[in-house]
Amino acid sequence: MDQHSRKTRKSGGRSLPDPTARWVNINRATLRGRRGWLFSDTVDGANASANLYSLVESCKANRIDPYRYLAWLVQRLPLAKTVDDYYALFPWKIPADLR
């Protein structure tokens, strides 16, 4: 018995959508990027790639253009001194006119 038959049988004849399909579609870019991390020369390089990718995905989740956010971040990051300064650099803290 194939997977489709099992789903249809369990649902009383109705075909149900695969709950993992939506997750895979949302995270497809993450899954592709993960393969690239396998070829990082160092652990620090892999961590840097993961951090950057995390920022980009946070921007997407908050409907912020990643390029504009990273350009804004690169200008302000060297000026951050306190924890509050760093907190103000999170993607959801970007000014509305730059979204």
Side-chain angles (χ1 to χ4, degrees):
M1 183 181 297
D2 65 350
Q3 289 291 337
H4 180 71
S5 298
R6 280 190 210 129
K7 287 181 200 169
T8 304
R9 188 182 59 167
K10 287 182 181 176
S11 65
R14 291 179 296 143
S15 182
L16 297 176
D18 183 8
T20 60
R22 185 169 191 275
W23 181 89
V24 169
N25 286 335
I26 290 170
N27 294 301
R28 188 176 309 278
T30 304
L31 298 173
R32 262 184 285 168
R34 186 176 62 185
R35 269 187 255 136
W37 300 334
L38 295 174
F39 302 105
S40 293
D41 289 339
T42 64
V43 172
D44 288 341
N47 285 333
S49 296
N51 288 335
L52 180 61
Y53 201 78
S54 177
L55 285 173
V56 169
E57 290 302 313
S58 293
C59 286
K60 290 178 184 178
N62 287 286
R63 295 186 178 111
I64 297 168
D65 178 26
Y67 179 81
R68 292 180 98 176
Y69 169 71
L70 291 173
W72 178 80
L73 179 67
V74 168
Q75 291 175 351
R76 284 158 182 79
L77 191 58
L79 305 174
K81 304 284 186 229
T82 66
V83 173
D84 290 334
D85 292 343
Y86 286 106
Y87 182 74
L89 298 175
F90 283 142
W92 50 88
K93 296 286 192 170
I94 191 171
D97 61 329
L98 295 177
R99 292 177 181 233

